């Protein structure tokens, strides 16, 4: 569901812009958090990115009627803001807490620890993927975005996204299998 922004919304005051943002937050807030959290692996940083995304919406409220796909536009803003923040954070700082947060709370502690260790290994291998492959994989796997949406967010063709996804999945699978095989043999 997308928000229809009319010409009257374009001419609203700042209070009217706040109403537009208030309508967008429940609709897109969770998605934007997942996008930011996937890139940053830090809850507080991801929340800051979501807030900053909606601040950008407030700043550009007068041009919202020109937005073709609100979801893609918001995800692109959140993604780019998260990547900007990520450049300042070392990946190793993010992996442990993120892996523990993803491990299931419904399984026994020993299995949750094993899941967490496996997820940490997958995340470490994801960090070693080429940037373009890592980005499409994160948007597809973590944020459950389709090929067309990823293409819009990353401003690539759908065929390029499909190729990157295929290469990323193949490379990641090989690396994780090799890593676990090495650990079993050790």
């Amino acid at each position: 569901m997308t928000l229809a922004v009319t010409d009257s919304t374009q001419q609203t005051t700042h209070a009217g812009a706040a109403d537009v943002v208030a309508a967008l937050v429940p609709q897109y807030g969770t998605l934007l958090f997942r996008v930011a959290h996937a890139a940053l692996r830090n809850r507080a940083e991801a929340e800051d990115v979501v807030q900053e995304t909606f601040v950008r919406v407030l700043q550009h409220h007068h041009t919202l009627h020109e937005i073709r796909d609100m979801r893609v536009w918001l995800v692109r803003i959140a993604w780019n803001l998260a990547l900007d923040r990520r450049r300042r954070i070392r990946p190793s700082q993010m992996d442990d807490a993120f892996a523990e947060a993803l491990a299931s709370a419904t399984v026994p502690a020993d299995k949750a620890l094993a899941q967490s260790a496996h997820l940490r290994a997958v995340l470490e291998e994801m960090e070693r993927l080429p940037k373009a492959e890592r980005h499409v994989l994160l948007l597809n796997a973590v944020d459950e975005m389709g090929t067309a949406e990823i293409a819009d967010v990353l401003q690539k063709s759908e065929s390029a996204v499909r190729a990157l996804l295929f290469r990323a999945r193949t490379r990641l699978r090989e690396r994780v299998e090799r890593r676990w095989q090495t650990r079993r043999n050790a």
Side-chain angles (χ1 to χ4, degrees), residues 168-184:
R169 288 175 179 153
T170 302
R171 192 173 298 183
L172 183 61
R173 185 179 316 111
E174 290 170 354
R175 289 180 178 184
V176 170
E177 286 173 359
R178 193 175 327 125
R179 185 177 186 151
W180 285 103
Q181 187 66 30
T182 305
R183 285 187 179 177
R184 278 186 237 144

Side-chain angles (χ1 to χ4, degrees), residues 55-116:
V55 167
R56 298 275 175 102
V57 171
L58 277 174
Q59 293 170 343
H60 295 89
H61 74 277
H62 57 282
T63 60
L64 291 179
H65 68 284
E66 299 171 8
I67 307 300
R68 191 171 43 113
D69 187 340
M70 184 64 68
R71 182 176 191 258
V72 169
W73 184 69
L74 291 170
V75 168
R76 185 180 303 139
I77 292 170
W79 181 254
N80 288 331
L81 290 170
L83 291 180
D84 287 345
R85 283 177 181 256
R86 184 186 166 121
R87 289 183 188 104
R88 296 175 281 179
I89 302 171
R90 287 193 324 272
S92 60
Q93 293 174 309
M94 303 181 286
D95 288 338
D96 293 339
F98 188 68
E100 289 169 14
L102 289 177
S104 177
T106 61
V107 296
D110 59 333
K111 289 186 180 182
L113 284 172
Q115 278 183 352
S116 178

Side-chain angles (χ1 to χ4, degrees), residues 136-152:
V136 297
L137 193 60
L138 282 171
L139 289 170
N140 180 258
V142 178
D143 301 319
E144 301 173 356
M145 297 183 81
T147 307
E149 290 177 311
I150 295 170
D152 285 343

Side-chain angles (χ1 to χ4, degrees), residues 1 3 17-33 47 49-58 64 70 74:
M1 183 167 120
L3 178 70
D19 291 340
V20 171
V21 171
L24 293 173
V25 170
Q27 190 172 0
Y28 297 108
T30 302
L31 169 67
L32 299 178
F33 176 81
E47 289 170 352
V49 164
V50 172
Q51 288 179 358
E52 195 172 338
T53 300
F54 288 118
V55 167
R56 298 275 175 102
V57 171
L58 277 174
L64 291 179
M70 184 64 68
L74 291 170

